[in-house]
Amino acid sequence: YRHIRTGAQLLSMANSDENKVFSINFCTPPTDSTGLPHILEHSVLGGSRKYPVKEPFMELVKGSLKTFVNAMTFPDMTVYPVASQNLKDFYNLIDVYMDAVFYPRISEKTLQQEGWHYELGGLDAPLTYSGVVFNEMKGVYSSPDAVMGDFTRTTLMPDTIYGHNYGGDPAVIPDLTYANFKRFHETYYHPSNARFFFYGDDPLEERLRLVDAFITEFQPIPVKIDIQKQPRWSEPKRTVKPYEAGEGDARSQMTLSWLLGDTKDVDLALAWSLLSHILTGTPASPLRKALIDSGLGEDLTGGGADPYGSEAYGSVGRKGIGGEDADKVEALIVDTLKQLTTDGIDRETVADSMNTVEFGMRELNTGGYPRGIALMIGMLPTWIHGGDPMDALGFEAPLQKIKDRLAAGERFFEGLIQNQLLANSHRSTLILAPDASVREQRDAAERARLEQERGTMNETDLQQVMQTAKRIKEISETPNRPEDLA
């Protein structure tokens, strides 16, 4: 459905599943590495017009009958899903989340608490930064496993929005101003940019009424989202990035990555999902087995095919390798792929992966995870980037096409490897190298910036910094009013 006044889109899936799902989803393309989408996700769940408690999210976690409640930031979208088997509870969750995203109490104090602010222990004490996301991302940047995925994406698509760290780079987060923070919410958290999702056995007409009641006051706005494609390279590139290593830690990790194609191409997306399982999905998979048998490194890294962006990409590599082994791992990956195109992939290996992936799609066994949310996450990249969301869920036709091509004797997956991987010049080799001085260098750069900023402050400014930090602490420690909790 499309909302007449605002243009908001709504996908309504009707079925007999009592585990009902609702989600509000926005395309939120970052323009820098201040972590604005990530900080805003934290901030809107910190109190709203109708629910002025500090953390409605945490109150729901404690008191709701929910089967799922969370919020997630992706490289170019932010999603707010909830689920419950109880209809009244489901409507309560929807009400809290709708009020949170459209009518949040995001003051400058909110940005300071959730994003970043100055701390000062006294007029003679050093100036420091603090903030929920700032502190969180400092922890992320200290973990090589955590940054590998981000660096893989940013080095493969450096000339696009995907070249930014959407979670936030601690060195850049303090560049975020309240004006930009507020403008981002007003632009992207608007019904004209919203995609609402319903799934389950709740009344269908009530879905439309609930959404309309919340957004009918909004006037439509033009939300221009122009996510440029990454210009293709004429030859592969290689990047070495240091990571924060402890003394004596000499282990490196590397990934080999390829840009694969448009996310909305559902045929290609399924093909990559199948090929990823064929190559690395089981201990007997040929590429995984070659890497394990080589004795190079400790474990696989790289997530296979990643569809979360306007263009999908694939990556594979090893972690826990010696610094001199990156070239060997890269050569082994390329040589194994070449051998598979020459000798062919074992037919039983292909059949096993085809059966496993097909069975998984048909059964949709998500364990304790609501099925509706799994379906939504699977189709959102197609929907967010202008495709038909149902195309991403209808695997039957594209799967049959691949089966028919295999039955006709076509070397389908070998051709995919040859044409889209081996002959693909848009390939990135990323090496994370241990460097015990990384933290010291980051800390020194941060101290230098803080000293420079402190140099522009007079005593009144410093007193204001201490007052602001004190107020933020008071807000976090002050209990909610009982009537607001009720």
Side-chain angles (χ1 to χ4, degrees):
Y1 297 90
R2 186 178 295 275
H3 189 249
I4 295 169
R5 177 186 287 275
T6 65
Q9 297 179 45
L10 187 149
L11 177 59
S12 179
M13 299 187 73
N15 50 64
S16 59
D17 194 339
E18 64 179 8
N19 202 357
K20 293 162 272 290
V21 170
F22 168 76
S23 185
I24 317 167
N25 313 296
F26 302 101
C27 186
T28 51
T31 57
D32 53 37
S33 293
T34 59
L36 205 167
H38 182 196
I39 294 169
L40 193 54
E41 176 220 307
H42 278 246
S43 299
V44 301
L45 294 176
S48 63
R49 175 189 65 174
K50 189 175 177 180
Y51 303 99
V53 296
K54 287 185 298 181
E55 293 184 284
F57 175 79
M58 295 309 299
E59 299 307 325
L60 290 175
V61 169
K62 289 187 290 185
S64 168
L65 297 173
K66 50 81 185 171
T67 52
F68 189 90
V69 56
N70 210 338
M72 295 166 275
T73 306
F74 292 84
D76 59 10
M77 62 185 182
T78 309
V79 304
Y80 294 89
V82 295
S84 180
Q85 295 179 348
N86 179 283
L87 185 61
K88 176 61 175 172
D89 185 55
F90 183 57
Y91 288 156
N92 287 341
L93 292 169
I94 292 173
D95 201 59
V96 173
Y97 263 48
M98 292 274 272
D99 206 60
V101 300
F102 291 121
Y103 298 100
R105 301 190 305 168
I106 47 174
S107 66
E108 193 162 5
K109 288 288 189 293
T110 309
L111 170 60
Q112 291 166 340
Q113 178 172 309
E114 299 299 332
W116 75 276
H117 63 272
Y118 294 116
E119 294 269 0
L120 188 64
L123 291 176
D124 297 325
L127 197 65
T128 60
Y129 294 123
S130 188
V132 174
V133 171
F134 179 83
N135 295 336
E136 176 188 331
M137 294 311 295
K138 287 199 88 168
V140 168
Y141 266 65
S142 68
S143 165
D145 289 347
V147 300
M148 190 54 152
D150 280 339
F151 286 163
T152 295
R153 184 187 62 260
T154 58
T155 54
L156 190 63
M157 295 177 276
D159 306 312
T160 71
I161 64 163
Y162 306 106
H164 304 305
N165 187 332
Y166 66 97
D169 180 342
V172 185
I173 289 173
D175 292 340
L176 179 57
T177 65
Y178 180 65
N180 286 342
F181 176 72
K182 196 80 166 66
R183 188 182 308 115
F184 194 91
H185 178 267
E186 291 168 354
T187 302
Y188 295 111
Y189 278 59
H190 190 281
S192 296
N193 185 48
R195 288 162 178 81
F196 298 94
F197 176 82
F198 282 90
Y199 164 98
D201 65 356
D202 53 301
L204 303 184
E205 289 295 322
E206 185 65 6
R207 295 174 173 182
L208 306 182
R209 193 200 66 77
L210 282 170
V211 172
D212 179 65
F214 246 100
I215 69 176
T216 193
E217 297 176 14
F218 286 84
Q219 295 298 322
I221 65 169
V223 182
K224 184 180 180 183
I225 295 176
D226 185 17
I227 299 178
Q228 299 291 326
K229 303 292 189 187
Q230 169 65 44
R232 293 306 195 261
W233 301 335
S234 58
E235 58 185 26
K237 295 190 177 183
R238 186 183 185 91
T239 306
V240 179
K241 284 186 175 286
Y243 78 85
E244 187 179 307
E247 290 292 340
D249 188 352
R251 296 171 298 173
S252 298
Q253 52 181 291
M254 64 83 65
T255 55
L256 201 60
S257 307
W258 296 263
L259 205 50
L260 302 179
D262 196 312
T263 299
K264 297 192 298 294
D265 187 336
V266 293
D267 289 2
L268 196 59
L270 178 58
W272 284 121
S273 178
L274 289 164
L275 181 59
S276 182
H277 192 276
I278 289 168
L279 293 177
T280 62
T282 72
S285 296
L287 184 54
R288 175 184 283 269
K289 189 172 187 304
L291 288 167
I292 293 173
D293 291 351
S294 71
L296 299 170
E298 300 167 355
D299 200 359
L300 245 63
T301 188
D306 188 311
Y308 295 107
S310 63
E311 294 189 272
Y313 66 92
S315 63
V316 65
R318 292 289 280 176
K319 62 181 178 180
I321 61 175
E324 71 287 350
D325 290 334
D327 289 343
K328 297 176 185 176
V329 174
E330 180 176 352
L332 178 59
I333 293 170
V334 173
D335 289 345
T336 302
L337 293 176
K338 286 180 177 176
Q339 184 178 356
L340 290 172
T341 61
T342 302
D343 300 345
I345 306 170
D346 179 70
R347 293 176 68 87
E348 285 192 13
T349 298
V350 173
D352 288 347
S353 285
M354 291 283 291
N355 289 336
T356 300
V357 173
E358 179 178 356
F359 185 83
M361 290 189 295
R362 292 192 185 285
E363 186 184 37
L364 195 64
N365 183 359
T366 56
Y369 198 73
R371 287 188 173 194
I373 290 178
L375 289 170
M376 183 199 70
I377 296 297
M379 61 80 179
L380 260 181
T382 300
W383 194 12
I384 285 286
H385 296 108
D388 185 334
M390 298 307 291
D391 286 348
L393 302 183
F395 62 84
E396 201 74 64
L399 181 64
Q400 191 58 49
K401 288 181 192 175
I402 294 173
K403 286 182 177 180
D404 291 345
R405 295 172 75 167
L406 292 172
E410 181 180 341
R411 289 160 50 94
F412 176 75
F413 293 110
E414 291 86 349
L416 205 58
I417 293 172
Q418 177 59 48
N419 298 325
Q420 303 293 329
L421 298 182
L422 295 175
N424 186 350
S425 59
H426 199 98
R427 188 179 87 199
S428 169
T429 302
L430 171 65
I431 300 167
L432 285 190
D435 187 340
S437 69
V438 166
R439 169 173 282 194
E440 184 180 333
Q441 292 171 15
R442 286 200 192 115
D443 290 347
E446 186 177 304
R447 284 195 303 271
R449 175 174 179 170
L450 284 162
E451 287 171 7
Q452 182 180 9
E453 291 169 353
R454 183 182 174 127
T456 66
M457 299 178 184
N458 56 33
E459 185 172 332
T460 303
D461 296 328
L462 295 175
Q463 292 283 4
Q464 183 61 49
V465 165
M466 289 190 287
Q467 192 62 32
T468 297
K470 181 182 177 183
R471 180 61 182 143
I472 289 171
K473 186 177 181 182
E474 286 174 353
I475 292 171
S476 68
E477 292 177 351
T478 301
N480 291 303
R481 299 187 310 167
E483 58 267 34
D484 292 335
L485 284 173

